[in-house]
Amino acid sequence: SSPYILKSHTLNIVDQFSIHDQKKEGLSHPQVFNQFSKLIRTKYQELVSEDDFWDIIAKATPYHFLSDLKIGSRPAKRSSGERKLRAIPWILCWTQTRLLFPTWWGTGSAWKQIDENERKEIKNTFDKDPLLTSFIKQLGFTLAKVELPIWKLYLNHFYPAEEAEKYYDKFKAEFDLTLKFFKEVSGQNELLWFRPWLAESISLRTPMIHPLNFIQIQAIKRHYLDLLRMSITGISCGMMTTG
């Protein structure tokens, strides 16, 4: 254990007590939140329903090799269909490629779609609703770990330049909208303003992971399973999560 971990756990406990002490009206979730969450879900479902998107998974992530690598306790996908990928392998693919898109996709475009009064209501609720505050903090943590240039490398190595650019622009546009949502609701420019030590940890680890992504790309291109397995382990350690 370290003083930082102890402090983090202590703050979490204090936060939980604070949540229970909130007045009932502070824990209410107006209709605007329901609408907002439905919009996010719709945007996400639209993306993962696209045939092109599943082509990206197969070509530009380690997904295609997960069954051969045998690095999990369960099969990489369910037997009922090609698109029945299990949750952990699903997140692992996007953590490895540094995109982590399942945790933020749709938030920015949903924010853009709702009207000004609805946006104002959500912003005014940020400091009053523990659920919204927690969501924004977790979103900031995720966005801090996203590395779009690394994701672009994967696309550039497995797609013709024009297609790679099209896919990259699509993800970058949504990421930028999500970043805008985060800043407007939180009022913060720093993604991890609430955990400066965590921001420093990510900034120190990030450059050390980049070479492993280059290695992983080459391992995927050459079907070099042992090297791919080692790169997955290394990136997971650097990201401090398998997915």
Side-chain angles (χ1 to χ4, degrees), residues 48-67:
V48 300
S49 297
E50 295 176 4
D51 290 335
D52 286 351
F53 179 77
W54 287 88
D55 187 60
I56 292 175
I57 296 174
K59 291 182 179 178
T61 80
Y63 160 67
H64 184 67
F65 296 91
L66 293 181
S67 296

Side-chain angles (χ1 to χ4, degrees), residues 9 30 40 48 70 82-83 110 119 127 159 166 182 187 198 203 222 240:
H9 286 317
I40 295 173
V48 300
K70 294 179 171 51
E82 179 65 22
R83 297 189 177 187
R119 287 196 289 268
D127 289 327
Y159 282 95
K166 179 188 72 173
F182 171 87
L198 184 54
S203 68
R222 302 179 188 189
M240 298 189 75

Side-chain angles (χ1 to χ4, degrees), residues 1 19 22 42 53 66 68 73 98 108 113 132 154 218 223:
S1 297
I19 290 172
Q22 292 284 341
T42 299
F53 179 77
L66 293 181
D68 296 325
S73 59
R98 315 287 289 282
Q113 187 170 333
L132 179 60
Y154 281 83
Q218 293 303 316
H223 292 223

Side-chain angles (χ1 to χ4, degrees), residues 18 72 82 92 117 122 141 175 191 221 230:
S18 298
E82 179 65 22
L92 179 141
N117 288 332
I122 291 176
F141 176 51
F175 181 85
L191 293 170
K221 290 176 72 173
M230 286 188 287

Side-chain angles (χ1 to χ4, degrees), residues 7 17 33-34 83 107 136 157 170 184 196 203 224 230:
K7 181 179 179 181
F17 277 111
F33 287 127
N34 294 329
R83 297 189 177 187
T107 307
I136 292 294
H157 275 84
K170 183 173 185 174
E184 289 185 0
S203 68
Y224 191 169
M230 286 188 287

Side-chain angles (χ1 to χ4, degrees), residues 41-237:
R41 184 167 63 250
T42 299
K43 300 293 183 183
Y44 183 87
Q45 290 173 339
E46 287 174 353
L47 176 68
V48 300
S49 297
E50 295 176 4
D51 290 335
D52 286 351
F53 179 77
W54 287 88
D55 187 60
I56 292 175
I57 296 174
K59 291 182 179 178
T61 80
Y63 160 67
H64 184 67
F65 296 91
L66 293 181
S67 296
D68 296 325
L69 291 174
K70 294 179 171 51
I71 55 177
S73 59
R74 297 180 181 179
K77 63 182 179 180
R78 302 182 190 278
S79 58
S80 55
E82 179 65 22
R83 297 189 177 187
K84 297 294 184 179
L85 189 62
R86 290 182 181 273
I88 293 177
W90 168 257
I91 300 298
L92 179 141
C93 289
W94 304 111
T95 303
Q96 290 287 308
T97 53
R98 315 287 289 282
L99 187 62
L100 295 95
F101 101 92
T103 59
W104 55 266
W105 183 272
T107 307
S109 53
W111 180 248
K112 182 180 179 181
Q113 187 170 333
I114 62 177
D115 64 38
E116 184 59 37
N117 288 332
E118 291 168 329
R119 287 196 289 268
K120 185 176 180 181
E121 185 174 354
I122 291 176
K123 286 190 282 188
N124 290 340
T125 311
F126 171 65
D127 289 327
K128 304 172 185 176
D129 192 303
L131 180 60
L132 179 60
T133 303
S134 177
F135 170 71
I136 292 294
K137 288 181 176 180
Q138 287 299 314
L139 180 64
F141 176 51
T142 294
L143 297 179
K145 295 191 291 182
V146 173
E147 290 289 331
L148 288 176
I150 296 297
W151 169 237
K152 190 173 185 179
L153 281 175
Y154 281 83
L155 291 173
N156 286 339
H157 275 84
F158 298 105
Y159 282 95
E162 188 174 332
E163 284 188 66
E165 196 67 27
K166 179 188 72 173
Y167 292 138
Y168 174 76
D169 288 347
K170 183 173 185 174
F171 282 97
K172 187 177 187 306
E174 183 64 33
F175 181 85
D176 289 343
L177 287 173
T178 302
L179 192 59
K180 182 180 180 182
F181 159 76
F182 171 87
K183 291 182 177 181
E184 289 185 0
V185 174
S186 69
Q188 301 289 336
N189 286 319
E190 298 296 328
L191 293 170
L192 290 167
W193 87 95
F194 56 97
R195 295 284 191 276
W197 62 268
L198 184 54
E200 183 180 9
S201 172
I202 291 173
S203 68
L204 292 174
R205 284 184 280 115
T206 292
M208 310 295 287
I209 309 172
H210 292 349
L212 296 174
N213 286 110
F214 282 96
I215 292 171
Q216 184 171 96
I217 288 169
Q218 293 303 316
I220 292 174
K221 290 176 72 173
R222 302 179 188 189
H223 292 223
Y224 191 169
L225 295 184
D226 288 340
L227 185 60
L228 181 56
R229 185 181 293 106
M230 286 188 287
S231 72
I232 288 175
T233 300
I235 292 170
S236 296
C237 290

